[in-house]
Amino acid sequence: MYIGRFVVLGKTSADEWYLGYRVSSRSFPNRLIRTLADRAMVVPTSDAPPTDNPYISYNCLRRNGDIWVLGNGSQVDPIIDKVSLGYGLRDALALSLLALDYEHDQYNTPRVVAALDRDADSGYLGIVADNQLSVREMAVEPGEALLVATYEATQPTSVHLVGDDAATLCDALFTCEYELPVAALVVHFGNEVDIASRSARE
């Protein structure tokens, strides 16, 4: 099944939070995820054909203190900006998704987010589509993971991912049952914060 880009909110069997994001694409496979000190970005590969599509490059991961946000587009930046101004995470998610709306491309692609407030021990999944706006704090059990995707799985959906660190979870995310993986990113919150990414092309 093809569900497009999707975000994941999960816990390992040791009850440690993680966030994940996977780029899946039928139209733009020439992309990778590049991690920097304070963010991660989806960018074209060096051999990608030129395009004026505004939706293929963006920050997919940002943080402010103990608040972390992953998403499939430019909504990640204003969410973190609002958090830095003092908004609570729920309000920052809802206001930013409402303001930006879904991507006005030929598919009316939804914007999806997964977010974690480590200090409050609260995880969220959000989506804005042409027929819904939802930001939900999710109860996640140890060993459980939930995703929200741009297509088909536009409500929180269980996904089976096995791993106890960022690297193994990232591999599990990249190779899970859904079609056309392009790149994956996982942030694991154990004793230390660990980030891993994997791309089909460099």
Side-chain angles (χ1 to χ4, degrees):
M1 178 190 293
Y2 179 70
I3 63 171
R5 293 169 283 169
F6 60 91
V7 292
V8 174
L9 175 70
K11 284 186 175 181
T12 66
S13 58
D15 200 25
E16 296 170 337
W17 285 104
Y18 64 91
L19 297 172
Y21 175 51
R22 200 181 88 176
V23 181
S24 312
S25 182
R26 291 180 289 212
S27 305
F28 296 99
N30 297 315
R31 287 183 287 174
L32 56 83
I33 293 176
R34 180 167 292 133
T35 58
L36 301 177
D38 65 341
R39 69 192 64 205
M41 303 176 295
V42 176
V43 296
T45 58
S46 58
D47 62 347
T51 178
D52 59 0
N53 188 311
Y55 300 117
I56 66 169
S57 298
Y58 48 89
N59 289 323
C60 63
L61 168 66
R62 293 279 309 276
R63 66 170 292 194
N64 182 278
D66 281 333
I67 292 178
W68 296 71
V69 178
L70 277 79
N72 70 322
S74 58
Q75 69 270 20
V76 172
D77 292 325
I79 292 168
I80 287 298
D81 290 345
K82 284 181 172 53
V83 168
S84 70
L85 292 173
Y87 285 84
L89 181 53
R90 184 203 64 169
D91 293 350
L93 292 165
L95 288 168
S96 299
L97 290 175
L98 179 62
L100 287 179
D101 210 356
Y102 57 89
E103 296 180 356
H104 290 266
D105 57 9
Q106 60 181 321
Y107 304 112
N108 287 348
T109 303
R111 295 180 187 268
V112 294
V113 291
L116 179 66
D117 183 338
R118 295 184 71 200
D119 186 55
D121 196 34
S122 300
Y124 292 83
L125 290 173
I127 182 172
V128 60
D130 58 358
N131 62 352
Q132 67 164 314
L133 169 63
S134 174
V135 173
R136 297 171 61 180
E137 183 178 354
M138 306 301 301
V140 181
E141 297 298 321
E144 182 184 17
L146 300 169
L147 69 79
V148 172
T150 54
Y151 310 121
E152 304 295 337
T154 57
Q155 299 292 326
T157 302
S158 293
V159 59
H160 183 62
L161 301 175
V162 177
D164 56 9
D165 58 36
T168 55
L169 287 164
C170 188
D171 286 342
L173 181 59
F174 189 88
T175 59
C176 73
E177 61 190 284
Y178 299 108
E179 296 175 355
L180 302 179
V182 171
L185 174 76
V186 166
V187 186
H188 170 245
F189 303 92
N191 293 329
E192 303 287 340
V193 178
D194 189 21
I195 301 175
S197 64
R198 174 176 170 180
S199 302
R201 309 182 187 192
E202 294 297 333

